[in-house]
């Protein structure tokens, strides 16, 4: 019985840590998906200094460290 309770608590903890919460930024269309352990940003923001006028790409962070960045 104790094993089942511990297993259920572990599964609930994993769901809480990995469940993404989307938030929309007011910079031109960026969407940031955040869990407690990670963050994924789908970047689409205005950048007047660029020739095209905007930046697009994906940024992935795990435990606060940037793992992948394809923003151009």
């Amino acid at each position: 019985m104790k094993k089942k309770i511990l297993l259920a608590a572990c599964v609930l903890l994993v769901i809480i840590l990995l469940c993404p919460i989307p938030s929309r930024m007011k910079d031109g269309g960026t969407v940031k998906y955040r869990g407690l352990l990670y963050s994924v940003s789908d970047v689409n923001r205005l950048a007047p200094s660029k020739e095209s006028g905007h930046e697009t790409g994906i940024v992935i962070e795990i435990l606060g460290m940037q793992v992948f960045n394809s923003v151009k």
Side-chain angles (χ1 to χ4, degrees):
M1 185 69 171
K2 206 173 200 182
K3 225 178 205 185
K4 288 182 183 181
I5 294 173
L6 183 61
L7 180 63
C10 288
V11 169
L12 184 63
L13 182 65
V14 167
I15 289 172
I16 290 172
L17 291 175
L18 297 178
C19 184
I21 300 171
S23 60
R24 303 200 186 308
M25 311 302 259
K26 295 182 180 180
D27 63 352
T30 299
V31 180
K32 187 174 257 191
Y33 300 95
R34 291 187 195 185
L36 289 176
L37 297 177
Y38 69 95
S39 171
V40 177
S41 300
D42 184 12
V43 177
N44 186 15
R45 62 180 164 222
L46 299 174
S49 61
K50 297 272 186 172
E51 292 176 12
S52 64
H54 68 281
E55 296 176 335
T56 58
I58 295 176
V59 178
I60 300 174
E61 296 178 359
I62 299 175
L63 296 175
M65 295 181 292
Q66 192 173 24
V67 177
F68 179 75
N69 186 351
S70 69
V71 177
K72 293 182 183 174

